[in-house]
Each structure stands twice: as C-alpha cells, then as structure tokens.
Amino acid sequence: QKEVEQNSGPLSVPEGAIASLNCTYSDRGSQSFFWYRQYSGKSPELIMFIYSNGDKEDGRFTAQLNKASQYVSLLIRDSQPSDSATYLCAVKPGNQFYFGTGTSLTVIP
Amino acid sequence: DTGVSQDPRHKITKRGQNVTFRCDPISEHNRLYWYRQTLGQGPEFLTYFQNEAQLEKSRLLSDRFSAERPKGSFSTLEIQRTEQGDSAMYLCASSLDGVHEQYFGPGTRLTVT
C-alpha cells in the first residue's frame, strides 16, 4: 500500500515564525522524498528533495527524514506571507511518485 | 521558456466529447509523467513514459484514457467519451533519467459540462 499521509490543516503561523509540516508514508521501499509548494490555481513547484536520513537545509527550508519512523518533515524558518500555499509531500518508491493531499499553510502578517 | 509547457491551458467540453491535451517536456528530459488533480487532493499518477515507451499506467485509469509519446519528445493525453467526473486539472511533469526530481507544467484545466 503506497500511501502518503499529511495533515490537511489549515496551519496558521505568524510572520517570522517557524512553520512545521509533517508527512508519513507507508511504503518502506521508498527511497526519495520531495516537498512541493502549490499556490491556488497553479501547478506544484519543487522546493526540496531528500534521500538520506537526517536533515537537509536550503535557505529558509529544512527537510528532515527518518526512514525508520517513515516520517518526513519540512521546516520553514522566518515564514513570510508569500509562503502561504499548499505544501505537498511526495515519495518515490520506484518509478511512480505518490503525493499526499497537501497541508494548507497561511502565514499571518 | 525552457520549462514544461502544456496546451491548452483550459478546455471546456460537453459530456461525451473527446479531448486531447499536449505536453512538451524540458528538452533534455527523457521521462514524462501525466497526473490528474482534483480540488483538495494531491496529484494522482496516471501514466509514465521513458523516451517513447509507456512503462507504467495506473490501474485506476479508465480505458477511455490513452497517452502517447511517439518520438520521445512531446506527449498527448486523450480522453474519449468524457464524463463529468473527468473534470480536473491534468498535469504533466518531466525528469531526467537517473535524476529523481520532476518538474511540472502549468496544467490543463478540463471542465466537462
């Protein structure tokens, strides 16, 4: 069963705070993990990918992966109103990508 | 523009009509994916090409759906005898063999009336 679970939210954080987005997956064979941002009416935009356990940082974004717990998260530091969007978690156990339903994030000025 | 492009961006059709969508991937990308996304859901995998070969197809995909990538470049997705339940955003994405990241086009929004 290749399922990706995300809290649909909405998640609201004040501007400048840290936003924490979480994702769990069921397929232990998953090797690649992705976070996409999707603005309303637009297509998904790749933010980060991670393959190894631990943390990966890119600017204000940090992805965290724990394969033993089948858990991947995204931290957004110094959240900005422009970060308000739906964040999609995706996993890739083989050739297919499996997406969660997304978490809606609102950053309040 | 060197990104993934899709045409048309919007399509309104009557139930029972056939529609065809086109996707042009990033030029050097040999992998191409089609997804369908409805409101409040994540993209749902439909099918996947490596070069001109269609390697995987969702078991949930109706036989009214067919996709081609005849020369390993652009791809078309055809829906025959459209139904109201086909109304969705159809997304195309491409990636390079050996590289896991995929990049999405702007999508084609289909409305079946």
Side-chain angles (χ1 to χ4, degrees):
Chain A
Q1 185 79 10
K2 299 180 177 66
E3 289 187 348
V4 179
E5 301 283 344
Q6 293 183 256
N7 185 334
S8 62
L11 173 66
S12 295
V13 300
E15 183 174 356
I18 296 175
S20 178
L21 305 163
N22 304 315
C23 172
T24 59
Y25 60 95
S26 60
D27 189 337
R28 287 192 172 272
S30 300
Q31 296 296 319
S32 309
F33 307 86
F34 305 84
W35 283 100
Y36 285 83
R37 177 175 61 199
Q38 187 171 29
Y39 293 113
S40 180
K42 302 295 185 181
S43 61
E45 172 193 7
L46 180 65
I47 298 175
M48 288 193 70
F49 56 91
I50 186 168
Y51 307 139
S52 303
N53 277 328
D55 295 358
K56 179 181 179 182
E57 186 175 318
D58 184 1
R60 296 186 296 112
F61 299 96
T62 299
Q64 299 175 317
L65 175 60
N66 184 326
K67 290 185 179 180
S69 300
Q70 296 175 248
Y71 176 91
V72 58
S73 66
L74 179 70
L75 300 178
I76 307 175
R77 290 182 300 280
D78 187 25
S79 295
Q80 301 297 309
S82 59
D83 295 327
S84 298
T86 295
Y87 289 80
L88 297 163
C89 172
V91 303
K92 186 172 182 284
N95 290 318
Q96 291 189 28
F97 289 78
Y98 294 89
F99 286 81
T101 56
T103 298
S104 175
L105 172 66
T106 300
V107 180
I108 303 168
Chain B
D1 186 356
T2 57
V4 179
S5 62
Q6 292 186 247
D7 184 70
R9 297 291 302 277
H10 303 274
K11 178 71 176 180
I12 299 174
T13 191
K14 292 184 178 180
R15 187 176 54 189
Q17 298 295 305
N18 299 343
V19 295
T20 300
F21 309 141
R22 175 178 170 127
C23 171
D24 286 88
I26 294 172
S27 59
E28 65 269 26
H29 285 187
N30 60 336
R31 296 190 176 197
L32 188 147
Y33 302 80
W34 284 100
Y35 295 87
R36 175 173 58 194
Q37 187 177 25
T38 54
L39 194 63
Q41 301 297 313
E44 174 193 15
F45 171 81
L46 294 179
T47 191
Y48 152 64
F49 289 86
Q50 182 160 336
N51 300 311
E52 66 276 11
Q54 187 175 19
L55 296 186
E56 292 192 36
K57 187 175 178 180
S58 170
R59 286 172 292 176
L60 302 176
L61 197 62
S62 161
D63 58 8
R64 296 184 296 105
F65 287 70
S66 62
E68 294 183 342
R69 194 182 183 198
K71 296 183 179 179
S73 56
F74 73 92
S75 176
T76 58
L77 177 69
E78 180 182 18
I79 309 174
Q80 296 182 327
R81 305 181 303 281
T82 53
E83 302 173 356
Q84 287 188 319
D86 297 331
S87 295
M89 175 76 87
Y90 289 83
L91 294 163
C92 175
S94 70
S95 69
L96 191 59
D97 205 17
V99 176
H100 296 283
E101 310 92 86
Q102 63 174 345
Y103 298 90
F104 283 87
T108 294
R109 182 167 297 282
L110 172 66
T111 302
V112 181
T113 62

